[in-house]
Amino acid sequence: MSAQNLSRRHFLQGVASTAVLGPMVVQAQSKPAAKVNIACIGVGGKGWSDMLEVSVGHNIVAICDIDEGRLAKAADKFPKAKKYTSWQKLLEQKDIDAVTISTPDHTHAPATMSAMELGKHVYTQKPLTHDVFESRQLTEFAKEKKLITQMGIQHHATARLKLGVHAIQSGAIGKVKEAHVWTDRPGTFWKQGLERPTKKDPVPAQVHWNDWLGTAPERPFVTGMYHPFHWRGWWDFGTGALGDMGCHLMDPVIDALELGPPKTITAEGPPPTSESGPEWCIVHYTFPGTKQTEKTVDVHWYEAGLQPDRKLFQAPEDWAGSKNGVLYIGEKGNLFLGFPEMPELFPKEKFEDYKWPEFADHNHYQEWTNAVATNGKTSCPFDYSGPLTETVLLGNVAYRSGKKIQWDSENMKATGEPSADQFIKRTYREGWNVSGLG
């Protein structure tokens, strides 16, 4: 049985990117007791929608972007906000309570850590960091300083994911044997498997290129190649399809099954290069078992349109499926959870009498701003989203190293594989070091 008979309010779900997967339909949170002074680092693309979301009921007092065109658009929307092209300069402003970070992946950790060191609460877009080491450091620091944090995985706030997690945790399909997770990225929105361009173009007058590069190695500007979007396919700046979509799609797997760190990770795909993510990749994680699973549980990641064998679903022949989704295989049946499709139980005839509970969407951004205003809690603090990001990024470590990773989580080491160290913690460009990171 599917959950498609629920109300339209439940069917229209929030998604990863308003530009890519559609609009977010949510229920507003109760009005907080105080207004929060918010600074926004990165105000174009996803940063634009992030800024608009957190502005509801609060003050945008500072905005930052390395592209003065994007900065000017944000200033037109929030004329009282002070403008910056350097996030370091923005953080010198004294009246800031909280900060959003919506930059390319390689700047997430440096900007987030620098804000937290000043006692600012933070909302950082997924993936939380570029590297495994950075995720661990942010998680521990946020906990130590008791800061209110949230990673931008807006799906987590939807009724759709709550329904899927509830079905698993209530035992609808019994103990889970394995899970399969897939996405149509890359290729749909950006390319990978690329060689570094040999050309060099003049830097546009409105772009502060050195600030955009930040911690990443120096390289020339190439029109349309990195800024403003195609940076995702380059290892120096992005984390590939796994980093982009893995935090969304792996979230309900980690959450529902209550998984800790994986034991082993292996990956397959084209031969890795030092420059760009793969044209396609499949990653296999093995986790210690939990009360929701068998003694161990395997989670398989597919990208670039690859998917698990259709026979695994036990779905009707005319079932449409999804370009992005999760399949849990249990001892009593299977659960499909789509992005953005509603959850369904298979085989259908076995679950005809299953009753889906009522859940409401809520606003992931307002959850954070309300928590900052009232000293409350969020659903995706770094305590949760940091370890989630570590797990996701370990798939990149396995792929780039070409090794089977035996993961020693306590020491953040791939046991017996020192070649993996460079992918667990990168070296920052000289002059861009941040305390506690590099």
PDB file of all heavy atoms in Angstrom, residues 9 21 86 108 235 248 257 340 359 376 392:
ATOM      1  N   ARG A   9      -1.683  18.196   1.153  1.00  0.00           N
ATOM      2  CA  ARG A   9      -0.704  18.865   2.015  1.00  0.00           C
ATOM      3  C   ARG A   9       0.480  17.961   2.294  1.00  0.00           C
ATOM      4  O   ARG A   9       1.617  18.380   2.327  1.00  0.00           O
ATOM      5  CB  ARG A   9      -1.369  19.258   3.343  1.00  0.00           C
ATOM      6  CG  ARG A   9      -0.431  19.950   4.336  1.00  0.00           C
ATOM      7  CD  ARG A   9      -1.032  19.957   5.720  1.00  0.00           C
ATOM      8  NE  ARG A   9      -1.132  18.615   6.236  1.00  0.00           N
ATOM      9  CZ  ARG A   9      -1.795  18.312   7.346  1.00  0.00           C
ATOM     10  NH1 ARG A   9      -2.441  19.228   8.007  1.00  0.00           N
ATOM     11  NH2 ARG A   9      -1.834  17.070   7.786  1.00  0.00           N
ATOM     12  N   LEU A  21      14.472  20.331  -7.774  1.00  0.00           N
ATOM     13  CA  LEU A  21      13.461  19.321  -7.518  1.00  0.00           C
ATOM     14  C   LEU A  21      12.082  19.887  -7.189  1.00  0.00           C
ATOM     15  O   LEU A  21      11.146  19.142  -6.991  1.00  0.00           O
ATOM     16  CB  LEU A  21      13.913  18.419  -6.365  1.00  0.00           C
ATOM     17  CG  LEU A  21      15.104  17.531  -6.657  1.00  0.00           C
ATOM     18  CD1 LEU A  21      15.470  16.754  -5.406  1.00  0.00           C
ATOM     19  CD2 LEU A  21      14.815  16.583  -7.797  1.00  0.00           C
ATOM     20  N   SER A  86      34.097  39.394   1.510  1.00  0.00           N
ATOM     21  CA  SER A  86      34.942  38.483   2.295  1.00  0.00           C
ATOM     22  C   SER A  86      34.176  38.026   3.526  1.00  0.00           C
ATOM     23  O   SER A  86      33.719  38.858   4.320  1.00  0.00           O
ATOM     24  CB  SER A  86      36.229  39.193   2.725  1.00  0.00           C
ATOM     25  OG  SER A  86      36.864  38.512   3.795  1.00  0.00           O
ATOM     26  N   HIS A 108      32.645  25.482   3.302  1.00  0.00           N
ATOM     27  CA  HIS A 108      31.698  25.219   4.400  1.00  0.00           C
ATOM     28  C   HIS A 108      32.395  25.186   5.758  1.00  0.00           C
ATOM     29  O   HIS A 108      32.006  25.899   6.688  1.00  0.00           O
ATOM     30  CB  HIS A 108      30.984  23.887   4.174  1.00  0.00           C
ATOM     31  CG  HIS A 108      29.929  23.945   3.120  1.00  0.00           C
ATOM     32  ND1 HIS A 108      29.084  22.879   2.868  1.00  0.00           N
ATOM     33  CD2 HIS A 108      29.558  24.919   2.262  1.00  0.00           C
ATOM     34  CE1 HIS A 108      28.252  23.200   1.895  1.00  0.00           C
ATOM     35  NE2 HIS A 108      28.535  24.430   1.501  1.00  0.00           N
ATOM     36  N   TRP A 235      37.107  17.989  -7.525  1.00  0.00           N
ATOM     37  CA  TRP A 235      37.455  17.582  -6.164  1.00  0.00           C
ATOM     38  C   TRP A 235      37.977  18.744  -5.315  1.00  0.00           C
ATOM     39  O   TRP A 235      37.793  18.751  -4.087  1.00  0.00           O
ATOM     40  CB  TRP A 235      38.501  16.480  -6.190  1.00  0.00           C
ATOM     41  CG  TRP A 235      38.043  15.123  -6.622  1.00  0.00           C
ATOM     42  CD1 TRP A 235      38.636  14.313  -7.544  1.00  0.00           C
ATOM     43  CD2 TRP A 235      36.922  14.366  -6.121  1.00  0.00           C
ATOM     44  NE1 TRP A 235      37.959  13.121  -7.668  1.00  0.00           N
ATOM     45  CE2 TRP A 235      36.901  13.133  -6.803  1.00  0.00           C
ATOM     46  CE3 TRP A 235      35.929  14.625  -5.185  1.00  0.00           C
ATOM     47  CZ2 TRP A 235      35.938  12.156  -6.566  1.00  0.00           C
ATOM     48  CZ3 TRP A 235      34.965  13.652  -4.947  1.00  0.00           C
ATOM     49  CH2 TRP A 235      34.972  12.443  -5.628  1.00  0.00           C
ATOM     50  N   HIS A 248      21.164  14.030   1.633  1.00  0.00           N
ATOM     51  CA  HIS A 248      19.707  13.958   1.556  1.00  0.00           C
ATOM     52  C   HIS A 248      19.218  12.514   1.565  1.00  0.00           C
ATOM     53  O   HIS A 248      18.354  12.128   2.339  1.00  0.00           O
ATOM     54  CB  HIS A 248      19.217  14.626   0.266  1.00  0.00           C
ATOM     55  CG  HIS A 248      19.231  16.110   0.285  1.00  0.00           C
ATOM     56  ND1 HIS A 248      18.602  16.853   1.258  1.00  0.00           N
ATOM     57  CD2 HIS A 248      19.799  17.004  -0.562  1.00  0.00           C
ATOM     58  CE1 HIS A 248      18.776  18.141   1.005  1.00  0.00           C
ATOM     59  NE2 HIS A 248      19.494  18.255  -0.091  1.00  0.00           N
ATOM     60  N   LEU A 257      17.342   3.510  10.606  1.00  0.00           N
ATOM     61  CA  LEU A 257      18.038   2.317  11.093  1.00  0.00           C
ATOM     62  C   LEU A 257      18.933   2.614  12.294  1.00  0.00           C
ATOM     63  O   LEU A 257      19.515   1.700  12.864  1.00  0.00           O
ATOM     64  CB  LEU A 257      18.863   1.697   9.963  1.00  0.00           C
ATOM     65  CG  LEU A 257      18.073   1.306   8.702  1.00  0.00           C
ATOM     66  CD1 LEU A 257      19.002   0.644   7.693  1.00  0.00           C
ATOM     67  CD2 LEU A 257      16.913   0.386   9.047  1.00  0.00           C
ATOM     68  N   PRO A 340      10.847  13.165  -5.055  1.00  0.00           N
ATOM     69  CA  PRO A 340       9.950  13.510  -3.967  1.00  0.00           C
ATOM     70  C   PRO A 340       8.746  12.581  -3.796  1.00  0.00           C
ATOM     71  O   PRO A 340       7.762  12.989  -3.176  1.00  0.00           O
ATOM     72  CB  PRO A 340       9.454  14.885  -4.413  1.00  0.00           C
ATOM     73  CG  PRO A 340       9.320  14.749  -5.900  1.00  0.00           C
ATOM     74  CD  PRO A 340      10.449  13.820  -6.307  1.00  0.00           C
ATOM     75  N   PHE A 359       1.362  12.752   9.653  1.00  0.00           N
ATOM     76  CA  PHE A 359       2.489  13.604  10.011  1.00  0.00           C
ATOM     77  C   PHE A 359       2.369  14.899   9.224  1.00  0.00           C
ATOM     78  O   PHE A 359       1.806  14.915   8.112  1.00  0.00           O
ATOM     79  CB  PHE A 359       3.827  12.943   9.667  1.00  0.00           C
ATOM     80  CG  PHE A 359       4.251  11.860  10.616  1.00  0.00           C
ATOM     81  CD1 PHE A 359       4.304  10.537  10.193  1.00  0.00           C
ATOM     82  CD2 PHE A 359       4.609  12.156  11.915  1.00  0.00           C
ATOM     83  CE1 PHE A 359       4.708   9.526  11.063  1.00  0.00           C
ATOM     84  CE2 PHE A 359       5.004  11.148  12.793  1.00  0.00           C
ATOM     85  CZ  PHE A 359       5.056   9.837  12.362  1.00  0.00           C
ATOM     86  N   GLY A 376      16.367  26.698  21.882  1.00  0.00           N
ATOM     87  CA  GLY A 376      15.738  25.398  21.698  1.00  0.00           C
ATOM     88  C   GLY A 376      16.630  24.411  20.973  1.00  0.00           C
ATOM     89  O   GLY A 376      17.853  24.538  20.972  1.00  0.00           O
ATOM     90  N   VAL A 392      28.792   9.658   4.533  1.00  0.00           N
ATOM     91  CA  VAL A 392      28.646   9.942   3.106  1.00  0.00           C
ATOM     92  C   VAL A 392      30.022  10.136   2.455  1.00  0.00           C
ATOM     93  O   VAL A 392      30.334   9.531   1.419  1.00  0.00           O
ATOM     94  CB  VAL A 392      27.769  11.192   2.905  1.00  0.00           C
ATOM     95  CG1 VAL A 392      27.850  11.692   1.468  1.00  0.00           C
ATOM     96  CG2 VAL A 392      26.318  10.887   3.272  1.00  0.00           C
TER      97      VAL A 392
END
